[in-house]
Amino acid sequence: MNKAIRQAVIAGNWKMNKTRPEARALISELIPLVKDANCGVVICVPFTNLETALDATKGTNIKVGAENCHWAKSGAFTGEISAEMLAEMGVEYVVIGHSERRQYFGETDATVNQRVRAALDSGLKVILCVGELLEQREAGITEEIVGMQTKAALGGVFAGELKNIILAYEPVWAIGTGKTATAEQANEVNHYIRTVVAKLYGAPAADAMTIQYGGSMNAKNADELLAQPDVDGGLIGGASLKAADFAVIVGAASR
Ligand code: PEP
């Protein structure tokens, strides 16, 4: 397994935060801080901030993503946004299967898979989240859970499409809680996910796959987490809302 052949990507997940003026201010602050990054830099923002973010990041190395998309191209799905709508705007990435969507909005492995399919068909790059609940970790079934989620989400995805997918291992107990997985725990599960991808698509494909860790990654713990051989970047919630902290994480991934 060769970390050097994979691109590290640091992606911010702003969740339901920032008005448009606040978004513009945060991006303006971030641009000079990450301009020399030696890793991918993505900000995933609320739908209402997408146009602002696309405009504010023009000509920079910061890519823009959405936080979800629907699987249908269009239709009677009040409150939803299609992958095609995002792609038409110039959005490049979309987060799919975040645990908050699974926990609070009835997202299932089946609908995650449908959203992945729609996003790929529309030309979006997917940041696909998997992760276990605390009780699942305590019951010793972390690998079964993330393995099952990964296989279900990738159902019907062709090997050639994997270049447009980033996997993000996000233990649910570590998201927004300040409880980070240890570097060893993060690496262990990321490595396991890579073996699942290898079984599905072969070792070269798994070797090339960017697998992030997410869950209370911050300016203090990023170095240790990102130094792990199977951790290829991070999905960052809370710390992505502070330009200086996010930039420190980008710096850690750039080394
Ligand atoms: C997330 O929302 O994906 C996340 C990892 O959040 P936090 O960094 O705040 O734990």
Side-chain angles (χ1 to χ4, degrees), residues 54-78:
L54 287 167
D55 182 55
T57 56
K58 232 177 249 162
T60 76
N61 59 333
I62 303 174
K63 312 284 189 199
V64 174
E67 299 176 10
N68 190 25
C69 70
H70 196 265
W71 56 84
K73 273 189 191 300
S74 61
F77 299 103
T78 302

Side-chain angles (χ1 to χ4, degrees), residues 13 15 98 100 129 170 174-178 214-217 235-239:
N13 172 20
K15 312 194 187 196
H98 192 279
E100 286 153 15
C129 303
E170 297 212 308
I175 296 178
T177 58
S216 299
M217 194 188 285
L235 184 54
I236 319 298

